[in-house]
Amino acid sequence: MTAVPGATSEERVPAVGDRGATHIEPRVVAKIAAQAAVEALRGEASGRWVPSRRSVPDTKVSLRRVPSRKKGGKSARSAAVHGEARVKISLDLGYPADVGAQCGAVRRRVVERVGELAGMEVPEVAIAVERLHSAQTGRPEGGRVR
């Protein structure tokens, strides 16, 4: 194939089947999930999110590759899925608040954003609420409310 002067790279490279694989590190998926949790908590109207000393929630991710499926003799991935991500997020929340609603919002947002940005399914989002902080204490690092 000859290159045409002024042609874009799409015009010069012939289209062929699979060209390689994309590998996404667990830490990248963890950052996406942590940011999604922050987005969900900031947007959740039923309670207030209390950022702790760390700027984003502590997030751990385990990944599993989904084997490619054969379809018509060619390798194809269902809905461009590159694998599965199991996510665990530790949160500090404000009190009083609807903890269940906040956790549900986080789960939905994490599944949505990891799917959009990393192309992964998220079958499990485990949320650990580490601390509840009252407005009476005035700060996340504060003591107990008596």
Side-chain angles (χ1 to χ4, degrees):
M1 178 169 167
T2 59
V4 178
T8 64
S9 61
E10 292 84 19
E11 294 170 336
R12 284 186 252 151
V13 179
V16 292
D18 293 333
R19 292 184 186 242
T22 301
H23 176 75
I24 300 174
E25 290 289 326
R27 65 180 178 194
V28 173
V29 178
K31 285 183 180 183
I32 293 169
Q35 182 59 38
V38 170
E39 291 169 5
L41 292 170
R42 285 187 179 148
E44 180 64 30
S46 66
R48 73 183 172 85
W49 172 55
V50 178
S52 64
R53 284 173 255 164
R54 48 188 191 263
S55 60
V56 294
D58 183 32
T59 308
K60 293 179 177 49
V61 172
S62 66
L63 300 180
R64 184 175 78 90
R65 290 184 62 85
V66 174
S68 60
R69 299 181 183 106
K70 299 288 182 183
K71 188 174 187 178
K74 295 183 181 177
S75 175
R77 293 211 183 262
S78 172
V81 173
H82 300 292
E84 287 183 349
R86 297 189 187 279
V87 178
K88 181 178 180 188
I89 299 176
S90 299
L91 300 174
D92 292 355
L93 299 175
Y95 180 82
D98 187 348
V99 175
Q102 289 180 317
C103 292
V106 168
R107 280 188 187 94
R108 286 186 297 277
R109 187 68 176 165
V110 167
V111 169
E112 175 186 331
R113 296 298 282 167
V114 171
E116 287 174 358
L117 298 175
M120 294 184 172
E121 291 178 356
V122 184
E124 179 182 341
V125 179
I127 298 176
V129 178
E130 297 285 329
R131 293 178 189 87
L132 294 175
H133 299 285
S134 171
Q136 296 173 352
T137 62
R139 62 187 191 280
E141 303 83 23
R144 295 178 182 234
V145 176
R146 300 178 203 269

